Amino acid sequence: MTTATYQSRRGELQTYFDRTAAEAWARLTSDAPVSGIRATVRAGRDRMRATLLGCLPGDLRGARILDAGCGTGALSVEAARRGASVTAIDLSPTLVNLARERTPRDLGAGRIDFRVGDMMDSKLGTFDYVVAMDSLIHYRAADMARVVAAFGARARAGIVFTFAPRTPLLTAMHTVGRLFPRADRAPAIEPVGERAITRRLLAEPALAGWNIGTSARITSGFYMSHALELVRG
Ligand SMILES: C[S@@+](CC[C@H](N)C(=O)[O-])C[C@H]1O[C@@H](n2cnc3c(N)ncnc32)[C@H](O)[C@@H]1O
């Protein structure tokens, strides 16, 4: 069950990632040269992807993974290279097409099933692990907690996602971001404190029996994001 705030933000994100920012996002996630600030963001995102994948077993043969909000698919490819069977879903058909084009032909034992749609779609089935890298940062904390709780009902072993931490530096960066023309702006990021989101998650009935695992913040130039792992037991 999704809320009106979730649905309206989802609509804004689809427009933003599928049209407004699709080209910039394609470049940022490629090997093409980018400006200094973007290079720091790219480096931070590479570290974050490694942090999230570091929460999963090294050998993923036989494991089913949901890459929730897969974008151009880099995390899915790395998980599949380790043998996982990945369902990679994103709202943006443009980014999913690009992800398909970028996927190497030979993934060994791994495979990726790319889908266009909502990560909350229960028809996607169940998974061993659900990973959501920077795809929940634009949702209000209450909606983010509900999405993670829904993952809890579908994941057997682990959930790893990121949130935008509420810090003075991030607040300042967002203020600077608001100086850019409206047309170029992303839908607002919704920062949340680590303690606040942890409290919300542990209060979700669907997350009873889950505990907090790894908690790690990555800061690199204009990129700041916090990884949180939930594990069963
Ligand atoms: C900041 S990008 C990150 C993409 C990718 N995870 C990465 O780290 O490269 C956020 C992505 O989440 C996707 N997204 C946001 N809400 C979604 C939803 N409800 N269902 C599926 N995808 C969603 C957006 O379309 C966008 O591609």
Side-chain angles (χ1 to χ4, degrees):
M1 190 56 184
T2 56
T3 62
T5 49
Y6 174 86
Q7 288 163 20
S8 103
R9 186 39 66 93
R10 182 183 60 191
E12 289 168 17
L13 289 169
Q14 183 174 21
T15 305
Y16 179 72
F17 282 103
D18 199 55
R19 292 189 229 144
T20 326
E23 220 175 287
W25 199 252
R27 192 173 182 86
L28 180 70
T29 57
S30 73
D31 294 333
V34 283
S35 71
I37 286 179
R38 290 208 166 94
T40 64
V41 172
R42 186 187 273 171
R45 287 178 35 76
D46 288 347
R47 279 169 54 204
M48 179 54 84
R49 196 165 55 252
T51 300
L52 299 182
L53 286 165
C55 294
L56 310 183
D59 183 352
L60 288 170
R61 279 174 299 178
R64 264 176 64 73
I65 293 184
L66 176 65
D67 184 358
C70 63
T72 54
L75 191 144
S76 293
V77 167
E78 289 189 36
R81 278 200 168 118
R82 281 158 56 173
S85 174
V86 182
T87 297
I89 188 157
D90 201 282
L91 295 172
S92 163
T94 306
L95 295 187
V96 169
N97 280 339
L98 189 56
R100 275 201 191 98
E101 279 167 30
R102 285 184 180 175
T103 300
R105 272 170 189 278
D106 185 9
L107 289 171
R111 56 182 288 277
I112 308 176
D113 175 14
F114 284 108
R115 308 271 185 100
V116 175
D118 187 343
M119 59 172 90
M120 288 285 274
D121 186 350
S122 57
K123 289 200 281 297
L124 294 170
T126 56
F127 298 89
D128 295 294
Y129 300 94
V130 177
V131 184
M133 174 165 157
D134 295 346
S135 46
L136 299 177
I137 58 176
H138 300 278
Y139 293 98
R140 286 162 35 144
D143 287 327
M144 182 190 287
R146 264 185 223 110
V147 174
V148 177
F151 291 159
R154 288 156 60 189
R156 276 182 286 273
I159 303 166
V160 233
F161 73 101
T162 64
F163 63 89
R166 187 184 289 284
T167 68
L169 177 59
L170 198 60
T171 306
M173 288 183 334
H174 290 167
T175 308
V176 172
R178 277 188 217 110
L179 302 175
F180 290 108
R182 183 166 272 284
D184 297 341
R185 273 195 238 152
I189 283 174
E190 302 278 353
V192 57
E194 181 179 2
R195 246 191 289 169
I197 190 65
T198 304
R199 214 179 308 120
R200 273 183 191 277
L201 292 173
L202 297 180
E204 288 285 342
L207 292 173
W210 288 84
N211 291 308
I212 303 294
T214 300
S215 172
R217 186 167 299 177
I218 305 283
T219 306
S220 170
F222 264 59
Y223 180 80
M224 185 188 289
S225 190
H226 195 117
L228 203 59
E229 178 190 25
L230 286 153
V231 286
R232 270 200 199 272

Short mmCIF file of all heavy atoms in Angstrom, two decimals, residues 29-51:
data_model
loop_
_atom_site.label_atom_id
_atom_site.label_comp_id
_atom_site.label_asym_id
_atom_site.label_seq_id
_atom_site.Cartn_x
_atom_site.Cartn_y
_atom_site.Cartn_z
N THR A 29 27.47 8.08 -14.90
CA THR A 29 27.64 6.65 -14.62
C THR A 29 28.47 5.94 -15.69
O THR A 29 28.52 4.71 -15.70
CB THR A 29 26.26 5.96 -14.47
OG1 THR A 29 25.51 6.19 -15.67
CG2 THR A 29 25.48 6.50 -13.29
N SER A 30 29.08 6.73 -16.59
CA SER A 30 29.95 6.13 -17.61
C SER A 30 31.41 6.39 -17.25
O SER A 30 31.70 6.92 -16.18
CB SER A 30 29.64 6.78 -18.97
OG SER A 30 30.16 8.10 -18.97
N ASP A 31 32.31 6.05 -18.18
CA ASP A 31 33.74 6.34 -17.95
C ASP A 31 34.13 7.68 -18.57
O ASP A 31 35.29 8.08 -18.51
CB ASP A 31 34.61 5.26 -18.61
CG ASP A 31 34.41 3.92 -17.93
OD1 ASP A 31 34.06 3.93 -16.74
OD2 ASP A 31 34.58 2.89 -18.61
N ALA A 32 33.18 8.38 -19.20
CA ALA A 32 33.50 9.64 -19.89
C ALA A 32 33.99 10.67 -18.88
O ALA A 32 33.54 10.68 -17.73
CB ALA A 32 32.25 10.15 -20.60
N PRO A 33 34.92 11.54 -19.31
CA PRO A 33 35.43 12.56 -18.37
C PRO A 33 34.30 13.46 -17.88
O PRO A 33 33.39 13.78 -18.64
CB PRO A 33 36.41 13.38 -19.23
CG PRO A 33 36.60 12.63 -20.49
CD PRO A 33 35.49 11.65 -20.64
N VAL A 34 34.37 13.84 -16.61
CA VAL A 34 33.37 14.76 -16.05
C VAL A 34 34.12 15.85 -15.26
O VAL A 34 35.29 15.67 -14.92
CB VAL A 34 32.36 14.05 -15.11
CG1 VAL A 34 31.32 13.28 -15.90
CG2 VAL A 34 33.06 13.16 -14.10
N SER A 35 33.43 16.95 -14.98
CA SER A 35 34.05 18.07 -14.26
C SER A 35 34.47 17.65 -12.85
O SER A 35 34.03 16.61 -12.35
CB SER A 35 33.06 19.21 -14.16
OG SER A 35 32.06 18.82 -13.24
N GLY A 36 35.27 18.51 -12.21
CA GLY A 36 35.82 18.20 -10.89
C GLY A 36 34.79 17.78 -9.86
O GLY A 36 34.94 16.74 -9.21
N ILE A 37 33.70 18.56 -9.74
CA ILE A 37 32.70 18.24 -8.72
C ILE A 37 32.05 16.90 -9.04
O ILE A 37 31.89 16.04 -8.18
CB ILE A 37 31.62 19.35 -8.66
CG1 ILE A 37 32.20 20.59 -7.97
CG2 ILE A 37 30.38 18.86 -7.91
CD1 ILE A 37 31.25 21.74 -7.86
N ARG A 38 31.71 16.72 -10.32
CA ARG A 38 31.06 15.45 -10.70
C ARG A 38 32.01 14.27 -10.50
O ARG A 38 31.57 13.17 -10.17
CB ARG A 38 30.57 15.52 -12.15
CG ARG A 38 29.40 16.48 -12.30
CD ARG A 38 28.50 16.09 -13.45
NE ARG A 38 27.24 16.80 -13.36
CZ ARG A 38 26.99 17.96 -13.97
NH1 ARG A 38 27.89 18.53 -14.73
NH2 ARG A 38 25.82 18.56 -13.83
N ALA A 39 33.31 14.52 -10.71
CA ALA A 39 34.28 13.43 -10.51
C ALA A 39 34.29 12.99 -9.04
O ALA A 39 34.40 11.80 -8.75
CB ALA A 39 35.68 13.87 -10.95
N THR A 40 34.12 13.94 -8.12
CA THR A 40 34.09 13.56 -6.70
C THR A 40 32.82 12.77 -6.40
O THR A 40 32.82 11.84 -5.60
CB THR A 40 34.14 14.79 -5.75
OG1 THR A 40 32.98 15.58 -5.94
CG2 THR A 40 35.39 15.62 -5.96
N VAL A 41 31.72 13.17 -7.07
CA VAL A 41 30.46 12.44 -6.88
C VAL A 41 30.61 11.01 -7.42
O VAL A 41 30.23 10.03 -6.76
CB VAL A 41 29.29 13.17 -7.58
CG1 VAL A 41 28.03 12.32 -7.55
CG2 VAL A 41 29.05 14.52 -6.93
N ARG A 42 31.23 10.91 -8.59
CA ARG A 42 31.41 9.58 -9.18
C ARG A 42 32.27 8.71 -8.26
O ARG A 42 31.96 7.53 -8.02
CB ARG A 42 32.08 9.73 -10.55
CG ARG A 42 32.19 8.43 -11.30
CD ARG A 42 33.00 8.60 -12.55
NE ARG A 42 32.22 9.03 -13.70
CZ ARG A 42 32.75 9.41 -14.86
NH1 ARG A 42 34.05 9.44 -15.02
NH2 ARG A 42 31.98 9.75 -15.87
N ALA A 43 33.33 9.30 -7.72
CA ALA A 43 34.21 8.52 -6.83
C ALA A 43 33.45 8.09 -5.57
O ALA A 43 33.59 6.95 -5.10
CB ALA A 43 35.44 9.36 -6.45
N GLY A 44 32.63 9.01 -5.03
CA GLY A 44 31.85 8.66 -3.84
C GLY A 44 30.86 7.55 -4.15
O GLY A 44 30.67 6.63 -3.34
N ARG A 45 30.23 7.63 -5.30
CA ARG A 45 29.25 6.61 -5.67
C ARG A 45 29.92 5.24 -5.87
O ARG A 45 29.36 4.21 -5.53
CB ARG A 45 28.48 7.05 -6.92
CG ARG A 45 27.50 8.19 -6.62
CD ARG A 45 26.77 8.69 -7.86
NE ARG A 45 26.49 7.63 -8.81
CZ ARG A 45 25.52 6.73 -8.66
NH1 ARG A 45 24.73 6.78 -7.62
NH2 ARG A 45 25.35 5.80 -9.56
N ASP A 46 31.14 5.26 -6.43
CA ASP A 46 31.87 3.99 -6.59
C ASP A 46 32.14 3.37 -5.22
O ASP A 46 31.98 2.16 -5.02
CB ASP A 46 33.22 4.23 -7.31
CG ASP A 46 33.02 4.54 -8.79
OD1 ASP A 46 31.90 4.34 -9.31
OD2 ASP A 46 33.99 5.01 -9.42
N ARG A 47 32.52 4.24 -4.26
CA ARG A 47 32.78 3.72 -2.91
C ARG A 47 31.49 3.20 -2.28
O ARG A 47 31.48 2.19 -1.57
CB ARG A 47 33.39 4.82 -2.03
CG ARG A 47 34.90 4.97 -2.28
CD ARG A 47 35.46 6.21 -1.62
NE ARG A 47 35.17 6.29 -0.21
CZ ARG A 47 35.14 7.45 0.48
NH1 ARG A 47 35.36 8.59 -0.13
NH2 ARG A 47 34.88 7.45 1.76
N MET A 48 30.40 3.91 -2.51
CA MET A 48 29.13 3.46 -1.93
C MET A 48 28.71 2.11 -2.53
O MET A 48 28.25 1.21 -1.81
CB MET A 48 28.03 4.52 -2.16
CG MET A 48 26.69 4.11 -1.61
SD MET A 48 26.75 3.64 0.15
CE MET A 48 26.61 5.24 0.94
N ARG A 49 28.85 1.98 -3.85
CA ARG A 49 28.47 0.70 -4.47
C ARG A 49 29.29 -0.44 -3.87
O ARG A 49 28.77 -1.51 -3.54
CB ARG A 49 28.69 0.80 -5.99
CG ARG A 49 27.99 -0.29 -6.75
CD ARG A 49 27.90 0.00 -8.23
NE ARG A 49 29.18 0.27 -8.84
CZ ARG A 49 29.61 1.47 -9.24
NH1 ARG A 49 28.84 2.52 -9.15
NH2 ARG A 49 30.80 1.62 -9.76
N ALA A 50 30.59 -0.19 -3.67
CA ALA A 50 31.45 -1.22 -3.08
C ALA A 50 31.02 -1.52 -1.63
O ALA A 50 31.03 -2.67 -1.19
CB ALA A 50 32.91 -0.77 -3.11
N THR A 51 30.60 -0.48 -0.91
CA THR A 51 30.16 -0.67 0.49
C THR A 51 28.90 -1.54 0.53
O THR A 51 28.79 -2.48 1.32
CB THR A 51 29.87 0.71 1.14
OG1 THR A 51 31.07 1.47 1.10
CG2 THR A 51 29.40 0.56 2.58
#
